[in-house]
Amino acid sequence: MRIAVSESLCSGHGRCYVLAPDVFESDDDGFCNLRGQEVEVAPGQEAAATTAVGACPEGAITIL
């Protein structure tokens, strides 16, 4: 499973790294550390990543 996090849409609510801390982390400014990136989700973390995708109020995370 691959995901992308939009740099322009992410506004730092932090739901992604609260719900899926093994997939997402906070950067020094409180935004998702994966902003502007496409990454492969580690095996076993797909359900947590999917939950975070659904919880993002801006829709900044996309499953590719």
Side-chain angles (χ1 to χ4, degrees):
M1 168 183 189
R2 288 188 63 76
I3 58 171
V5 181
S6 170
E7 186 168 9
S8 62
L9 292 177
C10 178
S11 64
H13 282 102
R15 293 180 187 174
C16 58
Y17 50 82
V18 169
L19 294 170
D22 292 331
V23 179
F24 306 94
E25 295 178 5
S26 171
D27 68 10
D28 291 338
D29 297 318
F31 293 94
C32 176
N33 66 320
L34 300 177
R35 284 187 311 156
Q37 298 181 47
E38 292 182 10
V39 297
E40 188 73 31
V41 175
Q45 296 301 319
E46 295 93 345
T50 300
T51 298
V53 169
C56 181
E58 295 85 12
I61 310 167
T62 306
I63 297 173
L64 303 174

